[in-house]
Amino acid sequence: MLTTKLKPLVLGMTLAALPASASVIISEYVEGSSNNKAIELYNAGTEAVDLSAYALQTYFNGKTDAPLTIALAGTLAAKQTYVVAHASSAQAVLDKAQQTTAASWFNGDDAIVLVQGDTIIDSFGKRGEDPGSYWSGNGVQTMDRTLRRISSINAGRTEADGFFDPSAQWLSFDKDDFSDLGQHAGSTTDPTDPTDPTEPPVEPLVCGDTATAIHTIQGAGATSPLVDQIVTVEAVVTADLQADNELKGFFIQHPAAEQDNDTLTSEGIFVYYTGTDVKVGDRVRLRAKVQEYFNATQLGFVDALEVCGQGSVAATTLTLPNDNLEAVEGMLVNINQSLKVVDSYGLARYGEVLLATERLYQSTQVALPGADANAVEAANLSKQILLDDGSTKQNLEPIRYPAPGLDAYNTLRLGDTADNLQGVITYSFDKYRLHPTVEPIFSATNPRTDAPALDATGDLRIASFNVLNYFNGDGQGGGFPTSRGASSAIEFQRQKAKIVSAILALDADVIGLLEIENDGFGEFSAIADLVAALNAQSAETYQYVNFNAEKIGGDAITSALIYRSSKVTEVGTAAFTEMVPFDYGNRPPIAQSFKVNATEEVFTMGVAHLRSKGSCSKAEGADQDQGDGQGCWNVVRTTAANTYADWLATHPTGVADDDIIVVGDLNSYAMEDPLRAFAAKGLASVIATQDGHTQGYSYNYAGRIGSLDHALASTSMMEKVVAATDWHINADEPVALDYNVEYKSDALQASLYAEHAYRASDHDPVIVALNTQPPVVEPEVWQGEFTNVGGWFWPKNFKIELPEGFQNLKIEVTGGWGDANLMVKQGSAPSLFRYDCLSAKFGNQDVCEFATPKAGKWFIQVSGYLPFGNVTVKYSAIKP
């Protein structure tokens, strides 16, 4: 009862203590592409507020101190807004900003607090908490979103350290939606003053008059020489993208007769304008301001436009590789090449597909780090172009590519081919883009396979599979969301079905798993859950290696080993190490030894998961990105490779056998230092050894393929390998086909999902086939002959010298005609009274054999009681 009575009193005291200026709130939050970041403030009170007493504090990644404080300035009138933006934001943001900052500003996982002196006036996020990538609730998240405060909210959230659910007070809008910035609840940043002078009348346009040429506006460089100038342009519309869900503008270009002869200057340009509805083929005359928008030249602030008739523009042929697409920025082009799909990460969200002349490799997959690798990447950049759908709307339905729409069975795989490519070229978000004016045609030239394709089967199959944060909640159907993986029980069931389908299709006897929840080996653990699901659908019995620990290391994820008990049996003691450098970053590696039931061959299998190439801001010294293609944390990974190899050499399982195979996600491409360190320790790449090159891949990132997942074998184990491959069920597939339901309508959740193996994870599994049967050793044969031998009573003599180590010496007379007899002696010539073998059968077929002959000289004599001719004397022996 005391608590109940005190609550209203405490609340009243709190409200009374708040300054009147607490009416200032954060009213809009923009977390968009690149540096498109802004915070809008709103004065919900009835009096103007002096903002010089206020500041915005930013708390990065769960910190409890604010490394960045932005002091505010000026006066904020009642019912008006004030926008603070990043200085490198899009012009559409800067146009509405009263203040800018050039400092590195917030991301979706950073808290923002509005303070007046030491008093918290309002807050966004939870100070002192790192949510991962963003806070979320009921479909509202703080990354890649514009959020607007519910208009009925007039007081700030002063509990900056309290639980934060963005859906409680915020409405979600698309990434880079700036349409409402600078206004809240009907307000504006610049209310109209009735004493403002009226605008002068707009000067009319006269079609055909002198105009500024587009090539003059574009210039020969990266930026326009006429930026910020007002120009009048007359040209033909080549692409109409004026709709609200499109680019809100159109492209124009000069016909051939009006173009210059300079190949470095573009003849086309984008016009950001929807005030007049134009069509492709319209010849338009307009007056506008020259702008550089995200490093692309365009015309904006159009104050007049006239349609002057009709015209036509022929598409310019564009050929890749091309390292100067700036010269065709804004132009209508035709690509007469078949291009390969090399990235589909933005396909479902943004309608984007990266195309290139060929599959593009991570530079350090095919070249040594440094100058060679950097040259590969420089060439890659000239070979690619981004196919965009001309829309600014996210999560379109249906997903445009491939026709009639992407789904779980109508996929668009990397390596598929794109033809019929015609459209306009533009530049935005650091990429040149082709907005198609005709529908592209995709061909499935990289079809799915139902199972891994191996050249030989062997008698044992080993695999590595990254299960992409397989977290099973509390193991009893609840406990979601967890720190990683599925965010709900429904998502987890979708994830589990795909993972199980993939593992069963691998048909592997021992499998190393990566990114499984690090929650021990009990009844409700993630590893127990996965093995139970496999056994529910398999005729084989799967078991997991129990490392008898509540956790392996301190990370949320760990590595694991599962196996089919009908094929192998555990021997020795399962082991792992948490020694430096496996105490942080590099997950602790594991190992166990197995005996093959059918052949009793013994081998040790290890699983490693080295530190990723991310979180570079925390790297120091030589672990920082050296610009050689290996990314950051390369020293940590290389040290881990050497340390793990040395640890395995001590036979940590207690089984002293030289047959060792290591699988896992090494976060290193084939030519990088960690792989070369393993090789120097006697653990070589199985796939590269089998293929004779490093052009395999298990992962795709930003349009570049390469192997992060590897199988490494000792010399004796490598001799047992008969085939190896990556099974491309994940890296080549669109991410939209995974188990997640975010950004998907109910219809898309159904159409994009299937329980098959494709896009079960983001890494491809690695499969190795081995023959553990002892090899059949073919005996060495020593042999020779003397031909066309003939005579009668007088003997023919021959001498041979038997090498050391040979057995089963056989000397024979065969073929020809007449009667030939055989006499053999070791060490000296034979006679009728001294010989080691005498064979005197009638005819010409006689044999002498010695099971364990002495090495050295052997004498052979052939004679006959009757004449003989054309016979052959043969000799042979074998070394087992």
Side-chain angles (χ1 to χ4, degrees), residues 653-664:
T653 66
V655 176
D657 193 283
D658 291 335
D659 287 348
I660 297 173
I661 189 164
V662 174
V663 301

Side-chain angles (χ1 to χ4, degrees), residues 713-832:
S714 63
T715 302
S716 60
M717 194 67 166
M718 190 75 78
E719 292 172 355
K720 295 178 171 63
V721 175
V722 295
T725 191
D726 303 287
W727 187 25
H728 302 308
I729 55 173
N730 297 319
D732 286 346
E733 295 283 345
V735 65
L737 302 187
D738 68 12
Y739 68 86
N740 289 280
V741 300
E742 288 87 0
Y743 311 118
K744 299 171 184 174
S745 66
D746 291 344
L748 286 179
Q749 288 178 30
S751 65
L752 295 176
Y753 177 78
E755 293 186 354
H756 53 44
Y758 308 108
R759 201 62 196 190
S761 178
D762 54 346
H763 292 245
D764 288 331
V766 178
I767 308 96
V768 180
L770 304 107
N771 183 5
T772 65
Q773 294 283 353
V776 177
V777 179
E778 295 293 335
E780 182 181 349
V781 178
W782 176 79
Q783 60 187 358
E785 63 182 22
F786 305 100
T787 60
N788 198 24
V789 179
W792 189 12
F793 187 76
W794 295 274
K796 299 292 185 179
N797 294 298
F798 306 95
K799 180 176 69 175
I800 61 175
E801 185 151 351
L802 180 66
E804 290 282 353
F806 282 85
Q807 300 176 7
N808 301 319
L809 176 61
K810 180 180 181 181
I811 302 171
E812 61 180 322
V813 176
T814 184
W817 52 269
D819 178 41
N821 300 316
L822 176 65
M823 189 182 297
V824 178
K825 189 172 189 313
Q826 196 273 332
S828 60
S831 68
L832 286 173

Side-chain angles (χ1 to χ4, degrees), residues 346-361:
L347 171 59
R349 288 288 305 280
Y350 309 114
E352 299 172 347
V353 179
L354 188 64
L355 306 175
T357 56
E358 63 207 55
R359 298 298 296 269
L360 304 179
Y361 280 90

Side-chain angles (χ1 to χ4, degrees), residues 528-686:
D529 178 275
L530 178 56
V531 167
L534 290 168
N535 287 332
Q537 296 189 36
S538 173
E540 295 278 357
T541 299
Y542 287 83
Q543 293 183 206
Y544 59 86
V545 175
N546 188 338
F547 288 85
N548 295 307
E550 291 186 7
K551 295 185 73 173
I552 297 177
D555 204 324
I557 56 174
T558 188
S559 304
L561 278 163
I562 63 175
Y563 61 94
R564 300 199 290 202
S565 57
S566 65
K567 298 298 291 288
V568 297
T569 301
E570 291 186 58
V571 293
T573 303
F576 63 90
T577 178
E578 297 175 345
M579 73 172 80
V580 176
F582 304 113
D583 55 336
Y584 180 75
N586 295 300
R587 267 65 60 169
I590 61 175
Q592 176 59 312
S593 298
F594 297 91
K595 179 183 70 176
V596 182
N597 296 340
T599 64
E600 298 196 347
E601 281 288 302
V602 173
F603 66 94
T604 296
M605 183 164 169
V607 186
H609 191 179
L610 304 189
R611 182 159 193 159
S612 77
K613 295 175 183 286
S615 301
C616 291
S617 62
K618 299 178 182 178
E620 298 178 351
D623 267 319
Q624 294 178 323
D625 190 336
Q626 302 298 303
D628 60 359
Q630 300 187 96
C632 58
W633 303 112
N634 183 59
V635 173
V636 164
R637 286 190 296 274
T638 305
T639 302
N642 283 310
T643 305
Y644 186 32
D646 290 342
W647 181 71
L648 286 173
T650 68
H651 305 295
T653 66
V655 176
D657 193 283
D658 291 335
D659 287 348
I660 297 173
I661 189 164
V662 174
V663 301
D665 178 359
L666 305 184
N667 276 310
S668 307
Y669 294 107
M671 302 290 281
E672 293 184 7
D673 294 341
L675 269 295
R676 290 188 286 157
F678 271 119
K681 295 287 187 179
L683 293 167
S685 169
V686 173

Side-chain angles (χ1 to χ4, degrees), residues 51-396:
L51 290 179
S52 63
Y54 291 76
L56 284 172
Q57 298 174 339
T58 305
Y59 295 80
F60 297 112
N61 305 116
K63 290 185 179 297
T64 55
D65 60 321
L68 176 63
T69 297
I70 302 173
L72 303 180
T75 300
L76 179 57
K79 309 304 180 184
Q80 301 303 316
T81 61
Y82 184 95
V83 176
V84 183
H86 193 282
S88 298
S89 291
Q91 191 62 46
V93 176
L94 297 177
D95 288 345
K96 300 178 180 180
Q98 283 70 49
Q99 185 172 337
T100 62
T101 177
S104 179
W105 210 2
F106 61 88
N107 290 312
D109 55 354
D110 302 322
I112 299 169
V113 179
L114 174 65
V115 296
Q116 182 186 29
D118 294 328
T119 302
I120 296 175
I121 303 301
D122 199 0
S123 63
F124 184 94
K126 180 180 178 181
R127 186 171 57 182
E129 176 182 83
D130 186 348
S133 296
Y134 52 81
W135 286 279
S136 66
N138 298 316
V140 178
Q141 72 172 43
T142 56
M143 181 179 74
D144 294 340
R145 288 288 192 277
T146 291
L147 302 184
R148 296 169 190 152
R149 204 75 170 262
I150 296 172
S151 59
S152 59
I153 304 295
N154 292 314
R157 172 180 171 270
T158 58
E159 296 182 15
D161 302 325
F163 174 76
F164 180 63
D165 176 1
S167 67
Q169 296 190 4
W170 297 84
L171 301 176
S172 178
F173 297 85
D174 286 344
K175 179 181 180 181
D176 292 332
D177 183 345
F178 318 132
S179 59
D180 198 56
L181 188 64
Q183 54 189 4
H184 181 71
S187 70
T188 65
T189 55
D190 185 20
T192 301
D193 186 337
T195 64
D196 286 348
T198 58
E199 292 290 333
V202 175
E203 181 181 348
L205 298 172
V206 178
C207 294
D209 273 5
T210 302
T212 304
I214 294 174
H215 48 255
T216 301
I217 298 171
Q218 288 281 12
T223 59
S224 171
L226 304 183
V227 66
D228 293 332
Q229 295 187 29
I230 303 300
V231 295
T232 300
V233 181
E234 188 170 320
V236 177
V237 177
T238 55
D240 176 13
L241 298 168
Q242 291 181 286
D244 286 342
N245 65 343
E246 295 178 329
L247 301 183
K248 297 184 179 179
F250 54 92
F251 289 82
I252 57 175
Q253 183 171 332
H254 287 311
E258 300 172 34
Q259 299 179 9
D260 66 3
N261 295 317
D262 188 347
T263 58
L264 297 180
T265 58
S266 171
E267 301 292 344
I269 197 167
F270 177 68
V271 182
Y272 183 63
Y273 182 64
T274 59
T276 302
D277 184 21
V278 300
K279 305 297 182 187
V280 172
D282 285 349
R283 184 177 179 91
V284 297
R285 187 177 182 89
L286 58 91
R287 185 169 48 243
K289 184 177 183 180
V290 179
Q291 299 175 309
E292 287 293 332
Y293 182 74
F294 279 92
N295 298 318
T297 305
Q298 69 174 29
L299 298 176
F301 295 105
V302 176
D303 70 357
L305 183 148
E306 294 289 339
V307 177
C308 299
Q310 298 296 301
S312 63
V313 172
T316 298
T317 298
L318 175 65
T319 302
L320 299 178
N322 189 313
D323 58 5
N324 188 24
L325 293 178
E326 175 71 22
V328 291
E329 178 190 85
M331 292 180 64
L332 179 68
V333 302
N334 186 49
I335 301 176
N336 290 326
Q337 299 165 271
S338 290
L339 299 183
K340 294 293 185 182
V341 177
V342 297
D343 195 33
S344 61
Y345 185 80
L347 171 59
R349 288 288 305 280
Y350 309 114
E352 299 172 347
V353 179
L354 188 64
L355 306 175
T357 56
E358 63 207 55
R359 298 298 296 269
L360 304 179
Y361 280 90
Q362 293 286 350
S363 59
T364 49
Q365 178 72 19
V366 293
L368 288 174
D372 290 348
N374 292 339
V376 170
E377 178 54 22
N380 283 345
L381 292 172
S382 70
K383 298 175 181 178
Q384 68 181 32
I385 193 165
L386 190 68
L387 177 68
D388 205 334
D389 63 357
S391 172
T392 57
K393 186 176 180 181
Q394 298 181 30
N395 309 312
L396 289 171

